[in-house]
Amino acid sequence: MIPIPDSAVRAIGEVLNNRDRPMKERFRALFTLRNIGGECALECIGRCFDDDSALLKHELAYCLGQTQDVRAIPVLMKVLADTAQEPMVRHEAAEALGAIGDSSVEDILLQYSKDPVIEVAETCEIALERVRWLKQNPPEKKEPLEDANPYDSVDPTPPSVSESVSELKDILMDDSQSLFNRYRAMFSLRNLRTEEATLALASGLRGKSALFRHEVAFVLGQLQQECSIPFLVQSLRDPEENEMVRHECAEALGAIATEECTRVLNEYLKDEKRVVKESCEVALDMSEYENSPEFQYADTLTKVNDS
């Protein structure tokens, strides 16, 4: 791979950090930086956390976690500890710390697992369990299904080892189980990639925890199965639903990208919740990409080089 000069990386960072650019362009710049990686890209992402868009900051944290670069830990710890940041941003910072998986984050995750914001506390609990699980299960001791993720994402938990849809659904919907175990069932169902498993996952959109429902929506977006559309639409249309869940449902519909998805997303481009409105804008751009001959979604490097 040809090294990308820091000047080009910084040019992409300027797109990301420019509040006058459309959100869809800033998202493409962000995912381009995530794909490039390295210190300069991390710095460009890190300095955007003073933005006024909770959606964008949430995605910044997600991308930092997906890099699994320990150099991102200080900025993520700062975001998690900043109670002025929106709950969905702090939650994503905690999840990103878990995704990086370094044992140095255990203390801060334990501290904020008692946070008064339930979504933050629950995320810290899951992230802490992932870090501890990784210590007990190093790469050379992976469980049989640990390599079964076909989506190239760093998940909040490893999958379960069961392949029984009915058994996994029972765990998924069992409120007496820890969220860590329920997430493990969730990712096992996703990895099966069948309609039966997708419908089992969709039932999770009725779960009690908003954090849990939001993760279900994210996973349904990864699957891109049309059978999940009615469930995602129902949650997006529900004005009483947590905005974090509605936002994830919108982005999942953008990934599925049917004509029905596009029609519904257009209906919510002026939603009173900013994070939902912006999610629909980004989701429509993703839908357009999914239905186009474009080679890649994260294309800002090409655009910067052409300008």
Side-chain angles (χ1 to χ4, degrees):
M1 181 178 177
I2 300 173
I4 298 169
D6 284 355
S7 58
V9 176
R10 281 191 286 269
I12 299 167
E14 289 306 311
V15 176
L16 170 63
N17 282 274
N18 187 344
R19 300 187 188 195
D20 294 329
R21 301 294 281 263
M23 189 60 67
K24 61 184 181 181
E25 289 185 14
R26 299 177 75 189
F27 260 60
R28 288 197 180 214
L30 170 60
F31 282 88
T32 303
L33 289 170
R34 182 199 69 176
N35 292 348
I36 293 171
E39 189 168 1
C40 188
L42 293 176
E43 188 274 328
C44 291
I45 295 172
R47 64 185 171 90
C48 199
F49 276 105
D50 63 351
D51 200 86
D52 59 2
S53 169
L55 175 68
L56 180 62
K57 290 183 291 185
H58 159 278
E59 294 294 330
L60 299 175
Y62 171 76
C63 286
L64 288 178
Q66 292 297 297
T67 68
Q68 293 193 294
D69 192 325
V70 293
R71 291 174 293 185
I73 289 176
V75 68
L76 290 167
M77 291 175 67
K78 182 178 178 181
V79 172
L80 173 57
D82 183 1
T83 55
Q85 291 280 10
E86 295 85 352
M88 69 181 291
V89 179
R90 296 179 63 219
H91 130 74
E92 200 64 47
E95 187 168 292
L97 290 170
I100 294 170
D102 191 80
S103 60
S104 65
V105 303
E106 286 190 57
D107 287 346
I108 193 169
L109 290 174
L110 181 61
Q111 177 185 349
Y112 287 97
S113 67
K114 302 173 179 63
D115 196 87
V117 179
I118 185 63
E119 293 86 0
V120 174
E122 289 180 339
T123 305
C124 288
E125 289 175 9
I126 296 169
L128 181 60
E129 286 201 58
R130 182 179 191 274
V131 172
R132 290 172 173 171
W133 186 91
L134 287 170
K135 286 171 67 175
Q136 297 172 359
N137 299 270
E140 62 272 16
K141 293 173 61 178
K142 283 184 177 179
E143 294 188 13
L145 293 185
E146 178 68 359
D147 289 319
N149 179 1
Y151 296 98
D152 195 30
S153 57
V154 184
D155 298 325
T157 72
S160 300
V161 293
S162 172
E163 293 187 6
S164 163
V165 172
S166 60
E167 180 182 331
L168 290 169
K169 183 180 178 182
D170 286 345
I171 297 171
L172 182 79
M173 300 303 294
D174 185 354
D175 288 323
S176 70
Q177 294 263 359
S178 70
L179 279 174
F180 187 80
N181 285 338
R182 296 173 71 192
Y183 269 45
R184 294 193 70 178
M186 184 190 308
F187 291 112
S188 288
L189 286 166
R190 179 202 62 188
N191 293 350
L192 293 175
R193 293 195 288 179
T194 65
E195 182 170 320
E196 181 187 11
T198 302
L199 292 173
L201 280 167
S203 66
L205 288 172
R206 301 192 304 269
K208 293 180 180 179
S209 163
L211 179 72
F212 176 80
R213 297 195 301 275
H214 125 286
E215 196 68 26
V216 168
F218 174 79
V219 166
L220 291 174
Q222 287 185 307
L223 280 163
Q224 296 179 294
Q225 296 257 13
E226 292 187 23
C227 64
S228 67
I229 292 174
F231 304 93
L232 292 164
V233 170
Q234 183 179 15
S235 292
L236 174 59
R237 291 194 187 282
D238 183 358
E240 300 301 315
E241 178 58 279
N242 186 294
E243 63 183 36
M244 188 167 73
V245 181
R246 295 182 66 216
H247 120 76
E248 208 67 72
C249 288
E251 293 197 4
L253 290 169
I256 298 170
T258 65
E259 288 185 9
E260 180 186 2
C261 294
T262 299
R263 177 178 55 78
V264 173
L265 289 168
N266 272 297
E267 290 177 25
Y268 289 90
L269 276 175
K270 296 183 179 179
D271 195 86
E272 63 179 22
K273 296 290 188 181
R274 178 177 175 180
V275 69
V276 175
K277 177 177 66 174
E278 290 181 342
S279 293
C280 289
E281 178 188 338
V282 171
L284 284 167
D285 184 52
M286 174 61 77
S287 179
E288 183 178 331
Y289 160 74
E290 291 288 349
N291 289 295
S292 77
E294 288 184 66
F295 176 66
Q296 61 180 357
Y297 173 75
D299 60 355
T300 312
L301 177 61
T302 303
K303 292 177 179 176
V304 164
N305 286 337
D306 290 344
S307 63

